[in-house]
Amino acid sequence: MLTIIQAILLILGVLRFFVIAHFIMSWLIRFEVLNIRQEFVGQVWYGLERVLDPIYSRIRRIMPDLGGIDLTPIIVLVGIEILRIFLINNMMAFA
């Protein structure tokens, strides 16, 4: 059981990295530092979109419209951190 919890923590860490990378890329694209018409940037951007859109879309259905401000990545990061803390604090109960 401990191995499963460690695997879940690893997946949460990768997901956290993806959310942070997507958040930073969105700002860099918005301020025209990055251009999604460049092949590599476009591939990374659309790959992150495909991975994170199922998570973001569920949260966006619940969130009220804030007029162009997207707090979804912050809510996802907080949720990941809460789940991570819960798993770490209860890891010995599963051992």
Side-chain angles (χ1 to χ4, degrees), residues 1 8 13 22 27 32 45 50-51 55 60 64 78:
M1 189 67 167
I8 293 170
H22 185 260
W27 278 93
E32 298 178 2
W45 176 253
R50 276 190 229 118
V51 169
I55 300 167
R60 286 181 179 138
V78 168

Side-chain angles (χ1 to χ4, degrees), residues 8-47:
I8 293 170
L9 288 172
L10 176 66
I11 292 169
L12 289 174
V14 170
L15 184 62
R16 182 174 50 188
F17 173 76
F18 284 170
V19 171
I20 292 170
H22 185 260
F23 182 75
I24 291 171
M25 277 189 76
S26 69
W27 278 93
L28 292 175
I29 290 169
R30 177 144 334 234
F31 290 120
E32 298 178 2
V33 175
L34 292 177
N35 187 354
I36 59 172
R37 286 175 280 196
Q38 293 174 342
E39 186 177 345
F40 178 73
V41 174
Q43 287 177 350
V44 171
W45 176 253
Y46 293 122

Side-chain angles (χ1 to χ4, degrees), residues 31-79:
F31 290 120
E32 298 178 2
V33 175
L34 292 177
N35 187 354
I36 59 172
R37 286 175 280 196
Q38 293 174 342
E39 186 177 345
F40 178 73
V41 174
Q43 287 177 350
V44 171
W45 176 253
Y46 293 122
L48 289 173
E49 283 280 319
R50 276 190 229 118
V51 169
L52 295 174
D53 190 48
I55 300 167
Y56 285 174
S57 64
R58 290 186 177 114
I59 294 174
R60 286 181 179 138
R61 276 188 247 144
I62 300 169
M63 291 285 297
D65 185 23
L66 297 175
I69 299 173
D70 188 16
L71 298 178
T72 307
I74 295 171
I75 293 172
V76 170
L77 286 174
V78 168

